[in-house]
Amino acid sequence: MVGSIFKNIDPIGLLLTSLTYFFLVYAYYVIVIVISVPFFSDSNYGWLNIAALTLLIFLCIVAHLKASLSNPGYILASNNDFDEQSIINHVSFIRISLRKVKPIN
């Protein structure tokens, strides 16, 4: 099952992903448990800050999971896959396309 999800075994990538999630959980622990709850638990702003931080940490985890597990598209395997002429044709096509755009008056 793991071989079908992860095409390449990348121990450094798994280590850095684990460190990323550890730092996010540790930052959440420090800000919420150590700072916010003891000092700001009586005010509504403290609970609002905790809710906002929880939302931001959740969005960070979702974005990182999506970026880590999704297909990035075509990646060149080696320098032999680089076709310089097609890049030159593509850049010249973009330049021609940009010249055709009329300015808005």
Side-chain angles (χ1 to χ4, degrees), residues 10-76:
D10 184 16
I12 301 298
L14 294 174
L15 173 71
L16 294 177
T17 301
S18 301
L19 279 175
T20 300
Y21 294 133
F22 170 75
F23 289 142
L24 285 172
V25 170
Y26 182 71
Y28 184 77
Y29 168 77
V30 168
I31 293 172
V32 172
I33 304 299
V34 176
I35 297 173
S36 292
V37 171
F39 296 111
F40 302 115
S41 62
D42 296 336
S43 69
N44 290 333
Y45 292 114
W47 294 110
L48 182 66
N49 284 331
I50 291 172
L53 179 69
T54 303
L55 177 68
L56 290 175
I57 294 288
F58 175 73
L59 290 175
C60 285
I61 290 173
V62 169
H64 191 265
L65 280 173
K66 183 174 180 181
S68 298
L69 299 177
S70 64
N71 186 5
Y74 180 73
I75 298 175
L76 298 176

